[in-house]
Amino acid sequence: MIRISTIFIAICMVLVAASLGLVLYSVAGINGTESAIVALTALTFLILYNAVSMRLRDRSDVGGQIADLSRGTADLARQVAEFGRRLAAIEGRIASSNSTNSDRVQSVVSEINELGGLVRQLAATVSTHEDLLAGHAPAPAAAPVARPAVEAPIDLIAPFDERPAAPLPLPAAPPRPTPPAVPPQTASAVHAVNGRNQTQMLATLRSAIDENRIDIFLQPMVTLPQRKVRFYEAVIRVRDERDQLIAAEEFISLAEASGLIGRIDNMVLLRCVQVLRRLMVRNKEVGVFCNVAASTLGNSTTFAQCLDFLEANRALAPSLVLEFKQSTFRALGPAETENLAALAQRGFRFSIDHVTDLRIEPRELADRGVRFIKVPASLLLDPKQASTSDIHPSDLSDLLGRFGIDLIAERIEGERAVVDLLDYDVRFGQGFLFAPPRPLRPEGPSATGGASPNQAQDIQGSNGSGTPSPSATSAATPAAPSQRITGNAALARRV
């Protein structure tokens, strides 16, 4: 499209040429033909001058644009060269890092292989010793007796990294035959109570409460995959008249039916607070999970006493986690909901265990103060749960994390389960693979295996009355080590 300026210049040139011809015709007296020739000649010169000037102007503009383009191309080439240099430096660093990591991995693999060989040798030695013990093989009189390892109680004062592990059997000479085992007065393992009816169990339970024979065992919960102890769960054990330990599963239902669970929960809360204070001497970030029964939450008298005690220890609320069953949360009534809200207002956090299915509403649980959910590892790794639940088990940890709830996999008993749980992004684990429930180490030399009747915790419950004795300061009752039946021979055969 022709520009308006060009048209204007053309008109001006025509007018100038015509004016020149008219002046020559009228003033100079030149005839019309000559005047027209002169006008055309002037017009031609004007057109040529305009064309040449426009060409020169366009050439200067194009030259400036070409110069700008050349400068831009030079800058781009310089930047490309800089990027190439940086990329080469990064590739060199990656190559050196890969070579360094490869060397480290090779050294770690060699160390692991060496440790594996040592473990095999140790397991073979232990297997030989156990086979000799089983066959009553004689030994020289001067040969020392290899004592079986016993489960050491937990030392709450020692730091986590300095806690002693169970001693390994000494690879000494074949031991002499051991005499018939004498039943110990106290046991550190849970023995099944056979031949005991409900009446005898109830009498044993009442006697244990009155004589303060309810012990607290601690089972650690560790971080995955670092396996650092982060929390402890308080597990209840009752000692009968013969100092045999009775597991909680054997008496909890009877205690709830007879109304004794309130007194037990009060005693356990007191012990958990004492244990937590001892733990926090070394580590302020440790926590203790304390189980609370549904009947305690629903009984106004018992709950009022628990609430008063927890109010007095409100400073420990961030580290003391109250644990309830999944069925308890699903059957909450108005009274239980109100009591639960009272605990949440005081800063206490809740945990849910005994999970039987993955139909979980994380928003509702988070609003009620739930911060932990313990799910059995077998339930998480069950392929059937993907079709029966609303969410795939591998996505459960992320879903709970959005609402501030941590998922804890419990009852872990094998390394393969740990590997599978890491794929599910599970942050915490609990089970016999890491450590079984262990008794507490006494606070001082004055701690004894049993408490006197005047030191028993007789706290008013739904079927009893009393006040906690101030003299009951022992956090738990240590149990004497019992003979342990090891499976090292089977380990050697598997290895």
mmCIF file of all heavy atoms in Angstrom, residues 46 148 231 373 473:
data_model
loop_
_atom_site.group_PDB
_atom_site.id
_atom_site.type_symbol
_atom_site.label_atom_id
_atom_site.label_comp_id
_atom_site.label_asym_id
_atom_site.label_seq_id
_atom_site.Cartn_x
_atom_site.Cartn_y
_atom_site.Cartn_z
ATOM 1 N N LEU A 46 13.102 15.755 -10.563
ATOM 2 C CA LEU A 46 12.541 15.653 -9.194
ATOM 3 C C LEU A 46 12.254 14.193 -8.812
ATOM 4 O O LEU A 46 12.514 13.759 -7.677
ATOM 5 C CB LEU A 46 11.272 16.505 -9.093
ATOM 6 C CG LEU A 46 11.465 18.022 -9.133
ATOM 7 C CD1 LEU A 46 10.101 18.734 -9.155
ATOM 8 C CD2 LEU A 46 12.282 18.475 -7.935
ATOM 9 N N PRO A 148 22.547 -68.247 78.769
ATOM 10 C CA PRO A 148 21.668 -67.739 77.712
ATOM 11 C C PRO A 148 21.382 -66.274 77.952
ATOM 12 O O PRO A 148 21.297 -65.809 79.074
ATOM 13 C CB PRO A 148 20.396 -68.606 77.864
ATOM 14 C CG PRO A 148 20.427 -69.074 79.283
ATOM 15 C CD PRO A 148 21.865 -69.214 79.653
ATOM 16 N N PHE A 231 8.515 -42.935 70.105
ATOM 17 C CA PHE A 231 7.470 -43.049 71.116
ATOM 18 C C PHE A 231 7.610 -44.396 71.815
ATOM 19 O O PHE A 231 8.323 -45.296 71.365
ATOM 20 C CB PHE A 231 6.063 -42.942 70.496
ATOM 21 C CG PHE A 231 5.827 -41.698 69.687
ATOM 22 C CD1 PHE A 231 5.876 -41.736 68.301
ATOM 23 C CD2 PHE A 231 5.553 -40.494 70.306
ATOM 24 C CE1 PHE A 231 5.660 -40.599 67.549
ATOM 25 C CE2 PHE A 231 5.340 -39.346 69.563
ATOM 26 C CZ PHE A 231 5.396 -39.407 68.182
ATOM 27 N N ILE A 373 -2.913 -42.891 64.079
ATOM 28 C CA ILE A 373 -3.740 -44.069 63.808
ATOM 29 C C ILE A 373 -2.791 -45.248 63.623
ATOM 30 O O ILE A 373 -1.894 -45.211 62.780
ATOM 31 C CB ILE A 373 -4.620 -43.875 62.564
ATOM 32 C CG1 ILE A 373 -5.655 -42.777 62.801
ATOM 33 C CG2 ILE A 373 -5.320 -45.182 62.200
ATOM 34 C CD1 ILE A 373 -6.584 -42.559 61.626
ATOM 35 N N THR A 473 5.802 -44.004 94.292
ATOM 36 C CA THR A 473 6.619 -43.227 93.351
ATOM 37 C C THR A 473 7.349 -44.103 92.355
ATOM 38 O O THR A 473 8.023 -43.581 91.477
ATOM 39 C CB THR A 473 7.659 -42.408 94.140
ATOM 40 O OG1 THR A 473 8.451 -43.301 94.908
ATOM 41 C CG2 THR A 473 6.982 -41.404 95.051
#
